Amino acid sequence: MNKRKVERVDDGVAITLSDGTGGEKAEMFDYLLAATGRRWPSSSPIHRLPPWG
């Protein structure tokens, strides 16, 4: 099972991931931009928009 941890630290954001062998790897970032992955209902008008082009 992959473990993930995201935490705010003094210098920005620390993201820690398991490497699959029992070890962990942490990386530091200045900021984090995240999308929640929320799914819209099928009746939502956003599904009826024409494709970008």
Side-chain angles (χ1 to χ4, degrees):
M1 171 200 254
N2 288 338
K3 289 181 165 182
R4 296 176 210 123
K5 181 170 67 172
V6 178
E7 59 187 329
R8 186 177 208 164
V9 294
D10 291 337
D11 295 334
V13 179
I15 299 178
T16 305
L17 301 171
S18 65
D19 65 6
T21 63
E24 292 183 340
K25 181 178 179 181
E27 292 195 40
M28 294 287 300
F29 298 91
D30 293 331
Y31 60 91
L32 173 71
L33 177 64
T36 63
R38 180 175 176 218
R39 300 192 84 156
W40 293 91
S42 60
S43 61
S44 172
I46 200 163
H47 286 287
R48 292 191 295 263
L49 293 174
W52 297 101

